Amino acid sequence: MKIVLCIKQVPDTADIKWTENNTIQREGVESVINPFDMYAIETAVRLKEKLNDAHVTVVSMGPPQAEEILKKAVSMGVDEGFLVSDRKFAGADTVATSRTLAAAIKEKVGDADLVICGQFATDGDTAQTGPSIAQQLNFAQVTYVKEITDYKDGVLTVKKEVEDGVETIDVKLPAVLCMLKCDYEPRRPLIQGFVKAHDAKIQSYGMDDIKLSPEEVGMKGSPTYVSKAFRPEQKQGGEVITPKNPQEAAKMLKDFINR
Amino acid sequence: MDNENKGILIYAEITRDGELASVVLELANTAQDLAQKLGGVEVNALVISSEFTQHSIFQNNGFDKVYVVKDEKLKYYNTEYYSKITIDVINETKPQIVLIGATTQGRDLAPRVSSTLNTGLTADCTHLDINEKGMLAATRPTFGGNLMATILCKNMPQMATVRPKVLKKAENPIVKNTEFIEMKPQINGIDPKTEIIEFIKNIQTTGKRIDEAEVIIAGGKGLKSPEGFKLLEELANALGGAVGASRAAVDAGWVDHSIQIGQTGKTVMPKLYIACAISGAVQHTVGMNSSDKIIAINKDPKAPIFQVADLGIVGDVFEIVPELIKQLKG
Ligand SMILES: Cc1cc2nc3c(=O)[nH]c(=O)nc-3n(C[C@H](O)[C@H](O)[C@H](O)COP(=O)(O)OP(=O)(O)OC[C@H]3O[C@@H](n4cnc5c(N)ncnc54)[C@H](O)[C@@H]3O)c2cc1C
Ligand SMILES: Nc1ncnc2c1ncn2[C@@H]1O[C@H](COP(=O)(O)O)[C@@H](O)[C@H]1O
């Protein structure tokens, strides 16, 4: 089974700093693998360990330093990784991003059986890239996946979390899965993993390598554009009180609730 | 810009129980405003289902036309069938704006549709407006609510998913002589690749879902055990609310992930949020800091949760909450 993982580098939400002009400061901010993509990696590696003929390739579209997260994924047990990187990709929205990733998958991996994405990225937070990749590749899709429970004869069984419960879904490959947080935690790489990652060659491909034209990528290839970005009004903390006893505390709470 | 496209189309999501999702009426109300600003264009709906009986809701909420696509195969949501139908109806009716609720169903469907039509889709919006050029200006939170962005779309139709519970339903909705138009689904050639083989409904001890509740009582690591959450359930029942949790409580196995609030859980914005023994890490507060009113109860006067709370009480949850339940009942 040929598995492709799509992962994204995002600024650490715990480390968001503001410039004087109320824009998000990007320099000097810690970058991490998008948290949901960590679960995607773990899920892919688990599936690989269960099957005996699976190969996992990880891909990211982003600036050259995104190589770091690809190496991290290799250290966690992914077989190989490549980067899709080009100045012309800048300003891509989800349509242009998914078109670029789908083209990269077709050109550089060939007939993938399974593509695993995270459900959301914590920066853009659109949850649209995965389903759009599925559409571009003409694959089936299952979103909000918590777990892969079975694989038999080209059919994966997965659990999907919806508002009112959990669905068990059979999906015929090829397919795209978008992963939520799982009930298991992403593994820490072992020492062999670090060694493998250190030695791994991460190829980088540009627009021409994946046979796209300037009209199809980046800002030009994006049907949406940001007209304005602003900082929401910051909530001011209210009173912090240390009541004399639980009775007084409860009374204050009751009054506040009923206000 | 393509002037052929006209009017607003709302995807009228039908839930598993056969009911109209509540976000549809929120969209209907806002769509009336947008339609006014566009010089009185039509507000239409698309219903995909195995049966259709809700005519009066659409008449009583100002819809001009409702396109109904009915088929036995359409009883439950399925990406392939539903996206094909939605695309066909958009191509046939050429709306300028398409609005879809940002539910699990809507967020599965919408990108599949927009990507096929090669048009823009703004995700999970919290505000919609029409700008001076007559374009849809869709505003949404990014970076976990740290930044708001207003997004425009170059192509037609302009699409957006809208977060439930943010826009308001109409208090006095317009009544219209709605036209119901049955459309034939063109789905015979489709062989669906996915099939729901089982569904297990969440057990809601308080009978309320956190994404719908107006009051949420959330608990953290400081509750120490599943029994601690029993106490919160009691309070939730007294206030007609639902119980939520921090990730630490979920990871400890005391409660299910479906009620986790925050970056890797759900985003909620109830009228009242009571955080009990939650420290208030950013990954938690991004999921709840848009609530109308926030109360925090924590032993530690320096807990960061107090920075987002309207009322902060320093004290022990195990002493204060039972007393509060007693006073509320008394
Ligand atoms: C990538 C990533 C994603 C994450 N996603 C999420 C997410 O979606 N949601 C989330 O919540 N977290 C998330 N986290 C974890 C988050 O950083 C915190 O670790 C977590 O929110 C802490 O939970 P807590 O407040 O319950 O526990 P703690 O931080 O342990 O805090 C417990 C609090 O309870 C107080 N307390 C203890 N006993 C009592 C008592 N008897 N009475 C009153 N107060 C008491 C203590 O003073 C303390 O403040 C994420 C972290 C990462 C790295
Ligand atoms: N630039 C990118 N490179 C690789 N994968 C991406 C990229 N952007 C988004 N994705 C994938 O799409 C998922 C959802 O992202 P988003 O649609 O931005 O919320 C992420 O969790 C990734 O799996």
Side-chain angles (χ1 to χ4, degrees):
Chain A
M1 186 190 293
K2 264 195 204 172
I3 304 172
V4 179
L5 266 169
C6 294
I7 68 170
K8 186 177 186 187
Q9 194 176 34
V10 297
D12 189 345
T13 30
D15 196 33
I16 287 182
K17 295 189 189 76
W18 293 91
T19 65
E20 278 171 18
N21 314 322
N22 272 346
T23 59
I24 285 185
Q25 182 182 325
R26 300 195 186 242
E27 292 90 59
V29 172
E30 197 69 38
S31 285
V32 295
I33 298 180
N34 177 40
F36 288 103
D37 301 352
M38 290 293 282
Y39 293 103
I41 297 171
E42 179 61 32
T43 303
V45 174
R46 281 180 182 227
L47 185 60
K48 174 185 148 82
E49 287 167 347
K50 238 169 75 180
L51 309 172
N52 45 27
D53 61 342
H55 185 86
V56 187
T57 307
V58 61
V59 46
S60 186
M61 174 181 117
Q65 63 264 31
E67 185 184 315
E68 235 176 85
I69 60 166
L70 295 170
K71 288 204 163 188
K72 169 106 196 255
V74 170
S75 75
M76 289 169 71
V78 169
D79 296 299
E80 60 176 327
F82 67 89
L83 184 65
V84 205
S85 190
D86 197 314
R87 277 278 167 79
K88 299 193 189 73
F89 295 158
D93 73 356
T94 56
V95 169
T97 302
S98 55
R99 184 184 291 132
T100 306
L101 288 168
I105 293 168
K106 272 193 231 159
E107 276 304 314
K108 300 299 165 194
V109 181
D111 296 320
D113 299 293
L114 180 63
V115 175
I116 308 185
C117 291
Q119 177 64 38
F120 307 90
T122 53
D123 54 353
D125 188 13
T126 74
Q128 288 171 186
T129 308
S132 300
I133 292 173
Q135 190 277 324
Q136 303 269 351
L137 294 172
N138 199 19
F139 280 19
Q141 74 187 46
V142 187
T143 50
Y144 298 92
V145 176
K146 270 184 74 116
E147 195 184 350
I148 297 175
T149 54
D150 203 6
Y151 173 69
K152 214 159 84 223
D153 306 328
V155 177
L156 273 182
T157 306
V158 302
K159 294 224 183 293
K160 166 172 179 161
E161 189 175 297
V162 294
E163 282 90 348
D164 54 348
V166 177
E167 294 174 349
T168 304
I169 293 181
D170 273 353
V171 54
K172 283 189 206 136
L173 301 186
V176 172
L177 303 183
C178 300
M179 298 302 301
L180 277 180
K181 177 174 182 288
C182 308
D183 286 334
Y184 42 78
E185 283 304 304
R187 69 192 62 195
R188 291 207 169 129
L190 301 171
I191 196 82
Q192 303 96 293
F194 285 116
V195 173
K196 190 173 134 215
H198 181 265
D199 295 342
K201 269 262 163 313
I202 305 288
Q203 271 286 351
S204 176
Y205 300 110
M207 187 186 76
D208 298 333
D209 300 317
I210 56 171
K211 306 208 165 76
L212 288 176
S213 65
E215 290 68 42
E216 294 171 298
V217 300
M219 194 114 73
K220 258 195 182 165
S222 299
T224 62
Y225 60 98
V226 178
S227 78
K228 192 169 75 180
F230 56 99
R231 197 174 175 180
E233 245 174 72
Q234 290 303 295
K235 206 172 171 115
Q236 292 294 318
E239 275 182 290
V240 180
I241 304 168
T242 309
K244 286 198 289 293
N245 52 42
Q247 286 71 23
E248 191 190 67
K251 172 139 199 330
M252 281 175 183
L253 289 168
K254 192 178 156 202
D255 290 347
F256 183 87
I257 291 166
N258 291 332
R259 203 159 70 193
Chain B
M1 193 169 290
D2 191 348
N3 285 324
E4 250 188 287
N5 291 64
K6 208 157 181 203
I8 301 172
L9 180 69
I10 295 175
Y11 173 70
E13 176 179 338
I14 306 292
T15 65
R16 186 187 311 276
D17 307 321
E19 286 175 23
L20 190 66
S22 54
V23 67
V24 177
L25 298 186
E26 296 159 19
L27 292 173
N29 185 28
T30 301
Q32 295 297 342
D33 284 350
L34 303 180
Q36 282 299 305
K37 290 182 182 161
L38 289 167
V41 300
E42 287 180 355
V43 176
N44 303 330
L46 164 63
V47 178
I48 304 176
S49 186
S50 57
E51 53 182 311
F52 181 67
T53 51
Q54 295 101 330
H55 298 77
S56 60
I57 303 185
F58 289 94
Q59 291 160 336
N60 293 336
N61 282 281
F63 283 95
D64 293 289
K65 293 185 186 122
V66 178
Y67 305 107
V68 182
V69 183
K70 254 187 341 185
D71 193 289
E72 253 324 295
K73 289 183 193 148
L74 303 173
K75 184 147 193 224
Y76 296 113
Y77 174 75
N78 169 289
T79 311
E80 282 110 330
Y81 286 147
Y82 277 54
S83 59
K84 171 72 165 59
I85 292 167
T86 308
I87 292 160
D88 286 350
V89 170
I90 290 173
N91 283 335
E92 215 166 307
T93 64
K94 296 203 179 347
Q96 65 200 122
I97 293 174
V98 177
L99 302 177
I100 299 178
T103 56
T104 53
Q105 190 183 120
R107 296 187 85 171
D108 188 88
L109 174 73
R112 192 95 196 182
V113 171
S114 65
S115 183
T116 305
L117 298 171
N118 188 25
T119 193
L121 170 65
T122 307
D124 207 22
C125 301
T126 53
H127 184 77
L128 300 176
D129 205 352
I130 301 294
N131 76 1
E132 62 289 349
K133 292 196 184 120
M135 291 167 83
L136 178 70
T139 301
R140 60 179 308 258
T142 61
F143 287 96
N146 282 299
L147 188 70
M148 303 298 289
T150 301
I151 295 180
L152 304 179
C153 177
K154 297 182 225 168
N155 300 359
M156 285 285 161
Q158 310 161 81
M159 293 182 63
T161 59
V162 179
R163 193 180 284 188
K165 292 264 147 205
V166 180
L167 305 180
K168 297 275 170 288
K169 286 181 196 176
E171 275 169 27
N172 301 300
I174 317 169
V175 179
K176 275 216 174 126
N177 193 359
T178 311
E179 194 183 337
F180 295 90
I181 303 166
E182 281 223 21
M183 299 185 93
K184 283 268 153 289
Q186 308 287 322
I187 53 172
N188 282 337
I190 300 178
D191 164 31
K193 304 280 189 304
T194 54
E195 190 190 348
I196 304 174
I197 54 173
E198 188 186 33
F199 173 67
I200 297 174
K201 215 176 163 75
N202 285 338
I203 311 156
Q204 262 113 36
T205 41
T206 58
K208 287 249 160 70
R209 279 162 39 181
I210 57 167
D211 56 320
E212 289 181 340
E214 298 202 329
V215 177
I216 293 177
I217 322 295
K221 192 74 185 285
L223 288 174
K224 294 196 176 61
S225 67
E227 286 69 51
F229 275 85
K230 288 264 164 5
L231 184 61
L232 298 198
E233 272 164 32
E234 253 186 81
L235 179 56
N237 282 327
L239 291 169
V243 172
S246 75
R247 174 165 165 179
V250 172
D251 286 353
W254 305 335
V255 284
D256 191 72
H257 175 249
S258 60
I259 66 165
Q260 181 183 315
I261 291 160
Q263 187 180 302
T264 41
K266 295 202 165 78
T267 302
V268 295
M269 34 181 97
K271 294 213 164 78
L272 176 65
Y273 190 93
I274 308 183
C276 300
I278 291 177
S279 61
V282 269
Q283 293 94 347
H284 184 78
T285 56
V286 294
M288 49 64 83
N289 60 14
S290 301
S291 307
D292 285 351
K293 277 187 195 167
I294 298 170
I295 294 176
I297 308 173
N298 195 305
K299 279 206 286 211
D300 174 7
K302 294 204 197 64
I305 191 75
F306 289 131
Q307 288 164 21
V308 298
D310 299 289
L311 175 64
I313 297 286
V314 181
D316 190 330
V317 165
F318 292 107
E319 291 172 1
I320 295 171
V321 171
E323 181 61 30
L324 177 59
I325 294 167
K326 201 166 104 194
Q327 291 194 17
L328 285 168
K329 284 186 175 159

